[in-house]
Amino acid sequence: MPQPLDPASTIFFRLTIDGQDLGLFNGCDGLASEVQVEQRQEGGNNGFVWQLPTRVTFSTIRLTRPLTPDTARVAAWISSLATGITRPTAQIAALRADKSVVAQWGLVEVLPVRWTGPSLDPGNPSVATETLEIAHHGFTDAGGA
């Protein structure tokens, strides 16, 4: 009998930009969207106020990980912006330790907006980490999970 999957097991996040794998990240924050609403009162209708959707906004996504050889792939993607900005599609897949997919998200028109490298301080023995922040124009089908 197969063992049930542990939903609390460690999750990793794989970032792919237009099919190019940028590696695994151990933290992902900011997968969110918000619909802004405009309130309109209707004369003679005192039971409620109309909530009309106006604009959808998407937060920046922040991916973090310890430094790995994949850091060079991220640096190459960011430096490619110097030759012209293209806004590719991206996929973020949440993976279990055995690399099976838990969930995935497709992102439309991705743009790297910030990369933060490690603080290299010999007096601080913590793990050297990097953070990549990406902006996007919305979610799309990520190919099913």
Side-chain angles (χ1 to χ4, degrees), residues 16-130:
T16 308
I17 305 291
D18 273 353
Q20 180 184 2
D21 184 8
L22 295 186
L24 295 174
F25 292 82
N26 60 355
C28 181
D29 182 26
L31 285 167
S33 66
E34 181 179 350
V35 177
Q36 297 173 0
V37 295
E38 189 175 287
Q39 295 184 350
R40 294 288 181 180
Q41 297 178 7
E42 180 181 357
N45 182 357
N46 296 324
F48 64 91
V49 175
W50 288 101
Q51 305 285 333
L52 304 173
T54 58
R55 193 175 301 250
V56 180
T57 57
F58 303 95
S59 63
T60 5
I61 298 171
R62 186 177 12 243
L63 298 152
T64 56
R65 68 178 169 198
L67 284 183
T68 69
D70 292 328
T71 298
R73 293 181 191 171
V74 171
W77 178 44
I78 293 170
S79 65
S80 73
L81 296 175
T83 60
I85 295 176
T86 60
R87 295 191 64 135
T89 58
Q91 290 77 35
I92 296 176
L95 308 171
R96 293 183 188 89
D98 66 358
K99 301 229 168 116
S100 61
V101 176
V102 176
Q104 54 187 0
W105 301 268
L107 306 172
V108 178
E109 297 183 351
V110 175
L111 180 69
V113 293
R114 177 177 289 153
W115 177 82
T116 306
S119 295
L120 302 173
D121 179 6
N124 184 358
S126 63
V127 174
T129 61
E130 69 174 315

